Amino acid sequence: VQLQASGGGLVQAGGSLRLSCTASGSILSIYDMAWHRQAPGKQRELVARSTSSGGTNYADSVKGRFTISRDIAKNTVYLQMHSLKPEDTAVYYCYADIRSLGLGRNDYWGQGTLVTVSS
């Protein structure tokens, strides 16, 4: 099982970006999917989570600006980011809780995609 993230880049404050992350492999079920981020010198933090039951939750710092969504058929999770701020600059990591053939249920992380917001 692999997670492949894409969509990061450089954007001016107030701009928008959409991150994508696709899971591949011998996947039987995907439970929670989420985005985390890690800014320089800081700990990794949860940005947004999408549960298998359809629920979502967000860090207070991104509520109203970011939206997490999933395409179940494509095993893909998205993070639409609007009104970006310089403090959103970080490496963004996707996460998924996946049950796969032969491996059981495990946590998986994508490789990270850098988002840089200039002021």
Side-chain angles (χ1 to χ4, degrees):
V1 175
Q2 289 186 328
L3 298 183
Q4 181 67 45
S6 63
L10 174 64
V11 64
Q12 288 188 330
S16 298
L17 280 176
R18 189 177 82 153
L19 307 182
S20 301
C21 177
T22 298
S24 61
S26 301
I27 296 169
L28 300 175
S29 298
I30 301 180
Y31 303 95
D32 286 6
M33 299 187 85
W35 289 94
H36 291 68
R37 68 186 180 188
Q38 187 166 18
K42 295 188 177 181
Q43 290 188 332
R44 190 175 297 190
E45 64 173 354
L46 175 67
V47 176
R49 183 197 325 267
S50 170
T51 69
S52 56
S53 60
T56 58
N57 54 63
Y58 297 90
D60 287 344
S61 60
V62 306
K63 283 180 181 176
R65 300 188 297 121
F66 291 10
T67 302
I68 189 169
S69 61
R70 292 166 71 157
D71 185 328
I72 295 173
K74 295 182 178 180
N75 291 337
T76 298
V77 62
Y78 304 98
L79 185 68
Q80 180 67 55
M81 305 183 290
H82 294 298
S83 302
L84 282 160
K85 304 175 181 181
E87 51 263 44
D88 294 317
T89 294
V91 177
Y92 284 70
Y93 298 91
C94 60
Y95 158 88
D97 176 2
I98 297 175
R99 182 179 300 280
S100 61
L101 187 64
L103 295 177
R105 184 171 175 174
N106 293 285
D107 297 334
Y108 294 90
W109 292 90
Q111 82 282 14
T113 184
L114 177 63
V115 172
T116 304
V117 184
S118 63
S119 57

